[in-house]
């Protein structure tokens, strides 16, 4: 018996009986053995045995779908936890030399949970899975490292017209986009420049029109040519952080 709860029976004659304690809940239990007696022997109950059942230790394993993603790439983080009967959620953080970022959490099901994220910071990153435990399983943690490189970009410049009258304005639209597999929107500024054209080449030096902050990876500029002539126009991207975009 566990208190008043019957754990099992065994049939005499027997020197001893063995019962599994696997079904005992976490906590302190008072166990006794009771003999009902027969025609020759009176019934009796053993002295109590106190047993303390502790929580099972959590064994956590952490994996990332890529060890060398680029900034903004979707990475799936997988947590495996033993015992698989553990319940609750696992917190996932990304730690760098400059601080820790909360990525989110995932709910355990049969000892497994996953989280897809595009929020990994650039550089050397330590991923940390933290399980707080439940009534039957202790807390546990696991780490793994990834190296997040800068995402490469493309810059395109489109004009509203290929020719205009002297003194008229045209709209220049510069768009900076991250190359696959990054899903991030580039931040930073775009530098507009012009040069008098000699055929398809610059005949002198490039003149700065201005440098403007991107919004959603784009900036539109209204520009008027200084004199009537043929011009080459270009947009040059300057990222906020070279560790994120190139």
């Amino acid at each position: 018996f566990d208190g008043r709860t019957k754990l099992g029976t065994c049939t005499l004659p027997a020197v001893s009986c063995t019962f599994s304690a696997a079904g005992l809940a976490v906590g302190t239990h008072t166990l006794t053995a009771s003999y009902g007696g027969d025609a020759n022997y009176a019934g009796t109950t053993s002295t109590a045995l106190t047993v303390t059942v502790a929580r099972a230790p959590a064994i956590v394993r952490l994996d990332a779908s890529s060890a060398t993603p680029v900034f903004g790439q979707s990475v799936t983080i997988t947590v495996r936890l033993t015992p698989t009967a553990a319940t609750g959620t696992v917190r996932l953080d990304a730690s760098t030399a400059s601080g820790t970022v909360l990525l989110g959490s995932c709910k355990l099901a049969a000892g497994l949970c996953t989280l897809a994220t595009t929020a990994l910071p650039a550089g050397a990153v330590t991923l940390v899975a933290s399980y707080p435990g439940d009534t039957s399983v202790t807390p546990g943690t696991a780490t793994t490292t990834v190296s997040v490189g800068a995402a490469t970009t493309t810059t395109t410049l489109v004009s509203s017209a290929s020719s205009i009258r002297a003194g008229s304005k045209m709209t220049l639209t510069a768009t900076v986009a991250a190359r696959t597999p990054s899903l991030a929107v580039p931040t930073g500024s775009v530098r507009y420049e012009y040069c008098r054209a000699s055929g398809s080449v610059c005949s002198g030096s490039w003149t700065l029109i201005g440098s403007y902050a991107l919004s959603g990876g784009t900036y539109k500029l209204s520009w008027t040519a200084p004199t009537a002539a043929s011009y080459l126009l270009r947009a040059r991207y300057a990222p906020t952080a070279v560790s994120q975009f190139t």
Side-chain angles (χ1 to χ4, degrees):
F1 288 85
D2 175 15
R4 295 185 177 181
T5 302
K6 187 176 182 179
L7 299 178
T9 61
C10 63
T11 302
L12 296 175
V15 175
S16 63
C17 297
T18 301
F19 299 98
S20 173
L24 295 180
V26 171
T28 301
H29 301 264
T30 301
L31 305 181
T32 57
S34 179
Y35 171 57
D38 62 11
N40 299 311
Y41 297 97
T44 185
T45 299
S46 71
T47 57
L49 174 66
T50 300
V51 174
T52 301
V53 179
R55 290 190 291 174
I59 301 173
V60 187
R61 198 177 97 192
L62 180 62
D63 297 295
S65 58
S66 174
T68 55
V70 296
F71 183 75
Q73 179 178 343
S74 180
V75 175
T76 299
I77 302 169
T78 301
V79 179
R80 294 177 174 84
L81 194 148
T82 303
T84 58
T87 60
T89 60
V90 178
R91 174 186 170 119
L92 293 165
D93 293 289
S95 179
T96 67
S98 54
T100 299
V101 177
L102 172 62
L103 299 176
S105 61
C106 57
K107 186 175 182 179
L108 287 167
L112 179 72
C113 72
T114 60
L115 177 73
T117 181
T118 58
L120 294 183
V125 178
T126 299
L127 298 176
V128 183
S130 303
Y131 175 61
D134 63 13
T135 57
S136 300
V137 182
T138 65
T141 61
T143 63
T144 191
T145 58
V146 296
S147 179
V148 182
T152 58
T153 60
T154 59
T155 303
T156 57
L157 178 61
V158 177
S159 63
S160 59
S162 59
S163 62
I164 57 174
R165 293 181 180 180
S168 298
K169 292 185 177 181
M170 67 188 310
T171 300
L172 304 175
T173 303
T175 301
V176 183
R179 295 181 186 271
T180 303
S182 176
L183 301 174
V185 177
T187 58
S189 61
V190 64
R191 178 186 174 100
Y192 284 94
E193 299 173 335
Y194 73 90
C195 179
R196 283 181 176 268
S198 176
S200 60
V201 297
C202 176
S203 63
S205 59
W206 290 92
T207 300
L208 174 66
I209 300 172
S211 183
Y212 309 93
L214 291 169
S215 176
T218 300
Y219 188 85
K220 289 186 178 182
L221 174 70
S222 181
W223 179 69
T224 302
T227 59
S230 293
Y231 294 93
L232 296 176
L233 297 161
R234 71 181 182 185
R236 302 173 69 186
Y237 171 55
T240 301
V242 293
S243 61
Q244 296 177 347
F245 299 101
T246 59

